[in-house]
Amino acid sequence: MRGAVLLALCALGCAPKAVRVGSKNFTEGVILGEVAARACAAGGAVTEHRRQLGGTAVLWRALRSGEIDAYPEYTGTLASELLRGVDARDLRGMRRALAREGVAMTAPLGFNNTYAIGVPEALASARGLRTLSDLQREPGLALGLSHEFLDRADGWAGLRARYGLPQRDVRGMDHDLAYRALSSGAIQATDLYTTDAEIAWHRLRVLSDDREYFPEYSAVLLYRADLPRRSPSCARALESLGGSLDAATMIDLNDQVKRRRRTESSVAAAWLEAHRGLRSAVASEGRAERVWQRTREHLAMVLSSLLAAVLCAVPLGVAAAKRPRLGTLVLGAAGVLQTVPSLALLVLLIPLLGIGAAPAVAALFLYSLLPIVQNTVAGLRGISPALRESAEALGLPPFARLRLVELPLALPSILAGVKTAAVINVGTATLGAMVGAGGYGQPILRGIRLDSTSTIMEGALPAAALALLTQALFACIERVAVPRSLRGGR
Amino acid sequence: MTAHGPTAASLVGVMKRYGGAVALGPIDLDVPVGRTTVLLGPSGCGKSTLLRLINGLIAPDEGTLRVLGEGVTPASVEALRRRVGYVIQEGGLFPHLSARQNVALLPRWLRWETPRIDARVAELAALARLPEALLDRHPGELSGGQRQRVALMRALALDPEMLLLDEPLGALDPMVRAELQRDLREVFRTLGKTVVLVTHDLREARHFGDLVVLLRDGRVVQRGPLSALESAPSEGFVRDFLDAWREAP
Ligand SMILES: Nc1ncnc2c1ncn2[C@@H]1O[C@H](COP(=O)(O)OP(=O)(O)OP(=O)(O)O)[C@@H](O)[C@H]1O
Ligand SMILES: [Mg+2]
């Protein structure tokens, strides 16, 4: 199954074995992935960046299974989620634990993206605030903290205890509101991540964690232990990035993407050129090419899954219609599949099929089964007993009856099922972007990440258009394939 | 109740039940070759069930059944059906096929060559008096009488040895009905085939039947020429049945 799907997709563009860099689905991750991929490419390796693949679990699994060769990660995440019993500040222990998984780690890139408390720069310099300890002198400061930070045991409660903070005016509020409240002066401090673009944007000073309360989340690049053998230049390029990015730089890069709406590619390329002397081309594909590329990916997913589903579901539907007990079983199973949330199904399929188009196609295939099986069964069961008897009375054997009489009579219903599946697929395929399958979901995800409606529309509008087109296409197919006598309302 | 001469179908002690209720039988019956046998009787008496048995669409629960010299077994039944033309009660034309495609369905499946099929369809259209212009219409675009002509053509396509017709004129208006009755009888005479025709209409039985089989509650009440039924009814039911028709408008 996987082989067949991959084969089908290979026809749509299989590149020679390249170094593949992955990245998580958030801006900083994508920028770092882009920096890593471009650094590799500048060293001469054929490199591919599979961006915004999903969350930690997806990337980690993809790295170990060899579907990607490298991705940016944080030491805190490694310590708390991926490697048990290793301290985030113990790099040597971490390297040993990683080596057991066949993974290597670069030196820390140079910044620590963790929780922090930010204070407006003006206020901070007026009162001489540099560290969290300095807050002990400011009992009147109003704090606006995110609900999550307030609730976590290792959030506000622990911070107050560690530093003996005296502030009484502590409010829970939404993160975006907190920034607004800071600029209006309603609060004087908030929690944030140390590399948030908003730090630059709202001119905040990040107070240093002088008592090392917050966990260490140093950015590193993870890569497969076999990479230095397969592409020495790439491994060297990744290692050379260690220590090259400090927090101020990262804040700036995030800010360029988030606020100034530059692409991660161009921001990464500009930084590599200015600070590392590495030139790399930024493919300035226009919107049309981008949409066309997404369209191809999207269509490939929808068509291959739909074709496979028709080939499986129609025979299943025939069997189900002929044998009521089997029918109950088949319809029940297909119905249960339908109730698995699409995102969950995609994630469940990753261990079996890896990342990329394969799990997306498989999920779409599974979702397509129910409507087609159901309508095939309904179409066949709906044939009047008189017609059924008539076909039998002619002396046609069962298979000929099926082919010449029953399936043609059930065709309108079967087509309606395929249409339903196709329209659902066009919509659901947008989720494929979460597992690296591309398609119209890619700009939607990116748009959500960057809070950019126009980017979201770049995916949402074509997806809607494709759904309408699918409807129209099926109306045409129906007109051609179904004799006028079988069409509705005769 | 044995017929004189050869039989196209013979039933001995045949019984068919549906979930315990007897639909037909026990019944002994011979269908003579080359003649028209009319199955007559009130609704629900088992006429269609008898035709289905002869065509092997259902199997008897008891008794023996031979059709065209053969026993009816799962292995033989499909070949047998192709030697028996059957027009089911509702006509049973396939709505997704044109009249021509309906008639040609079986020949095409048997891989007859197109010229042979075309010739056969034309021949049948002439026989069934169906204008050839109507051949390319779908059943939904034909009148009830035209549909029955097409159904007859389809049943005759392979030139079967026996023809089973289940109320072929059931739902037609009187004018069309009379015309089709004449044409059908003409066809039967021309072809000299064994015909078993179901009706619950006495006048129709008189029109077609050399031989009438009157059924009641799944059993044969009387068998013979209609004149014999009229002159010497075997029991009260025969008289009542005939009287009911005499009084009818
Ligand atoms: N598939 C079936 N399942 C159960 N009972 C059936 C079935 N087919 C026929 N019967 C019963 O068998 C009996 C004979 O039915 P049949 O169709 O042979 O009657 P008929 O003489 O053709 O009637 P009509 O003139 O109304 O067509 C009826 O009582 C009918 O209800
Ligand atoms: Mg009947």
Side-chain angles (χ1 to χ4, degrees):
Chain A
M1 159 78 211
R2 182 187 178 183
V5 169
L6 289 181
L7 209 67
L9 291 163
C10 262
L12 296 149
C14 260
K17 187 85 179 144
V19 174
R20 282 165 304 184
V21 178
S23 60
K24 293 191 205 176
N25 183 25
F26 69 102
T27 299
E28 187 169 292
V30 176
I31 296 175
L32 290 177
E34 194 65 12
V35 166
R38 284 172 179 276
C40 260
V46 180
T47 315
E48 184 191 338
H49 179 199
R50 310 189 67 171
R51 50 179 67 201
Q52 57 188 33
L53 281 179
T56 301
V58 173
L59 273 291
W60 177 242
R61 198 144 31 187
L63 181 72
R64 282 183 310 156
S65 67
E67 279 171 284
I68 55 174
D69 298 299
Y71 82 95
E73 188 50 281
Y74 299 91
T75 54
T77 312
L78 278 167
S80 63
E81 291 178 42
L82 301 177
L83 309 168
R84 298 277 154 203
V86 178
D87 186 81
R89 290 180 164 89
D90 172 17
L91 293 183
R92 198 176 301 164
M94 197 167 278
R95 283 215 166 82
R96 265 199 309 276
L98 284 171
R100 284 196 287 275
E101 308 278 353
V103 174
M105 180 174 92
T106 64
L109 296 181
F111 65 88
N112 176 19
N113 184 358
T114 186
Y115 275 123
I117 299 294
V119 182
E121 182 62 47
L123 180 80
S125 54
R127 311 251 177 114
L129 302 176
R130 307 209 158 272
T131 66
L132 286 171
S133 299
D134 294 340
L135 287 181
Q136 289 165 352
R137 301 187 263 111
E138 301 287 341
L141 223 59
L143 303 183
L145 304 178
S146 67
H147 297 287
E148 191 200 348
F149 188 73
L150 268 179
D151 292 344
R152 289 174 66 135
D154 59 349
W156 169 244
L159 181 73
R160 185 170 53 187
R162 173 71 64 93
Y163 284 94
L165 296 180
Q167 284 78 14
R168 298 252 148 257
D169 187 1
V170 180
R171 278 170 268 180
M173 56 174 66
D174 186 81
H175 225 267
D176 290 328
L177 276 180
Y179 287 119
R180 230 171 290 165
L182 271 179
S183 16
S184 75
I187 59 172
Q188 284 86 44
T190 188
D191 62 301
L192 35 74
Y193 293 107
T194 41
T195 56
D196 277 354
E198 285 83 358
I199 295 172
W201 190 341
H202 294 280
R203 297 221 174 71
L204 303 181
R205 178 182 293 183
V206 176
L207 301 180
S208 81
D209 184 13
D210 49 330
R211 292 188 189 174
E212 291 193 346
Y213 169 71
F214 289 119
E216 175 89 2
Y217 277 78
S218 286
V220 293
L221 296 173
L222 298 182
Y223 57 91
R224 289 178 59 79
D226 62 2
L227 186 66
R229 189 167 42 75
R230 292 191 3 249
S231 176
S233 66
C234 179
R236 269 198 309 276
L238 296 183
E239 283 294 351
S240 76
L241 288 170
S244 65
L245 276 155
D246 61 14
T249 307
M250 197 63 236
I251 291 168
D252 176 48
L253 298 186
N254 281 334
D255 185 51
Q256 287 190 47
V257 173
K258 278 206 163 162
R259 188 157 55 105
R260 285 181 253 156
R261 298 272 142 119
R262 296 178 58 194
T263 64
E264 292 91 347
S265 309
S266 61
V267 167
W271 180 80
L272 279 170
E273 187 169 351
H275 299 272
R276 317 287 299 173
L278 298 177
R279 296 186 140 272
S280 59
V282 178
S284 64
E285 51 176 12
R287 175 168 293 195
E289 282 133 277
R290 219 158 50 219
V291 171
W292 172 233
Q293 165 74 13
R294 301 292 167 235
T295 305
R296 283 206 329 250
E297 291 162 353
H298 208 86
L299 278 179
M301 274 189 273
V302 170
L303 290 181
S304 52
S305 61
L306 198 63
L307 186 71
V310 170
L311 292 180
C312 289
V314 172
L316 268 179
V318 170
K322 301 275 166 194
R323 289 172 208 278
R325 209 171 305 163
L326 179 72
T328 319
L329 201 77
V330 168
L331 285 173
V336 167
L337 270 177
Q338 208 76 2
T339 63
V340 180
S342 23
L343 211 50
L345 186 59
L346 277 175
V347 172
L348 285 175
L349 286 168
I350 290 178
L352 295 174
L353 298 173
I355 50 169
V361 169
L364 295 179
F365 162 79
L366 291 175
Y367 282 125
S368 303
L369 290 178
L370 183 67
I372 304 179
V373 171
Q374 230 167 20
N375 278 41
T376 304
V377 171
L380 289 174
R381 292 215 179 126
I383 297 174
S384 78
L387 289 181
R388 210 185 289 278
E389 178 170 54
S390 199
E392 204 180 342
L394 285 175
L396 288 172
F399 186 72
R401 291 206 293 272
L402 186 67
R403 184 170 60 88
L404 297 172
V405 178
E406 296 173 11
L407 283 180
L409 287 174
L411 186 63
S413 172
I414 296 174
L415 268 181
V418 177
K419 171 161 112 178
T420 307
V423 172
I424 292 176
N425 267 6
V426 167
T428 312
T430 53
L431 292 178
M434 301 215 173
V435 293
Y440 292 141
Q442 191 87 358
I444 296 180
L445 271 189
R446 193 181 136 81
I448 292 173
R449 181 157 63 70
L450 298 178
D451 193 18
S452 155
T453 311
S454 71
T455 310
I456 292 176
M457 285 304 158
E458 209 174 275
L461 286 181
L466 189 60
L468 289 177
L469 203 71
T470 307
Q471 301 253 24
L473 185 75
F474 272 92
C476 285
I477 293 178
E478 201 169 58
R479 202 157 302 144
V480 174
V482 178
R484 54 189 184 279
S485 52
L486 290 189
R487 271 176 240 145
R490 81 182 142 115
Chain B
M1 281 204 219
T2 36
H4 325 283
T7 59
S10 70
L11 294 82
V12 181
V14 164
M15 176 100 110
K16 178 67 196 173
R17 294 190 195 87
Y18 283 111
V22 175
L24 188 76
I27 193 169
D28 298 308
L29 183 69
D30 285 329
V31 175
V33 166
R35 294 171 65 188
T36 299
T37 302
V38 174
L39 300 181
L40 189 63
S43 185
C45 70
K47 306 182 293 293
S48 298
T49 303
L50 183 50
L51 286 197
R52 288 193 181 105
L53 280 165
I54 295 175
N55 198 39
L57 288 168
I58 52 178
D61 295 314
E62 278 171 36
T64 51
L65 166 68
R66 291 185 71 78
V67 179
L68 300 177
E70 288 182 42
V72 184
T73 65
S76 70
V77 71
E78 268 154 23
L80 186 68
R81 283 180 195 149
R82 295 198 285 273
R83 295 166 62 199
V84 178
Y86 182 15
V87 178
I88 69 163
Q89 197 155 353
E90 295 88 355
L93 291 182
F94 301 127
H96 65 295
L97 299 176
S98 68
R100 182 191 300 281
Q101 290 166 326
N102 263 284
V103 176
L105 187 66
L106 214 45
R108 203 172 286 285
W109 181 73
L110 292 168
R111 300 185 189 286
W112 287 18
E113 284 171 7
T114 311
R116 183 174 171 209
I117 294 177
D118 290 345
R120 182 66 182 151
V121 172
E123 189 183 357
L124 288 167
L127 186 71
R129 293 171 164 275
L130 183 82
E132 285 205 37
L134 301 183
L135 281 173
D136 291 310
R137 292 199 188 167
H138 280 74
E141 301 155 343
L142 294 171
S143 75
Q146 290 162 346
R147 271 203 293 272
Q148 287 300 3
R149 288 174 199 270
V150 176
L152 177 70
M153 286 167 64
R154 188 176 69 183
L156 287 171
L158 297 184
D159 196 18
E161 290 152 62
M162 177 158 62
L163 197 55
L164 310 177
L165 299 136
D166 198 344
E167 305 215 29
L169 310 173
L172 302 177
D173 72 61
M175 291 270 290
V176 178
R177 195 180 173 114
E179 187 190 331
L180 199 56
Q181 266 176 8
R182 273 198 307 279
D183 291 348
L184 268 182
R185 190 170 55 181
E186 197 54 42
V187 170
F188 299 163
R189 286 222 178 108
T190 319
L191 299 176
K193 283 192 194 305
T194 307
V195 175
V196 181
L197 182 140
V198 165
T199 181
H200 56 257
D201 183 328
L202 186 67
R203 284 169 300 197
E204 211 158 283
R206 193 187 311 287
H207 181 87
F208 286 110
D210 315 316
L211 187 63
V212 171
V213 177
L214 181 62
L215 296 171
R216 180 199 186 187
D217 293 339
R219 314 192 57 157
V220 175
V221 179
Q222 195 170 359
R223 176 186 183 284
L226 189 57
S227 55
L229 269 68
E230 283 169 321
S231 59
S234 67
E235 54 177 272
F237 173 74
V238 182
R239 195 188 320 275
D240 293 347
F241 187 84
L242 300 179
D243 285 346
W245 277 100
R246 216 160 278 130
E247 284 152 24

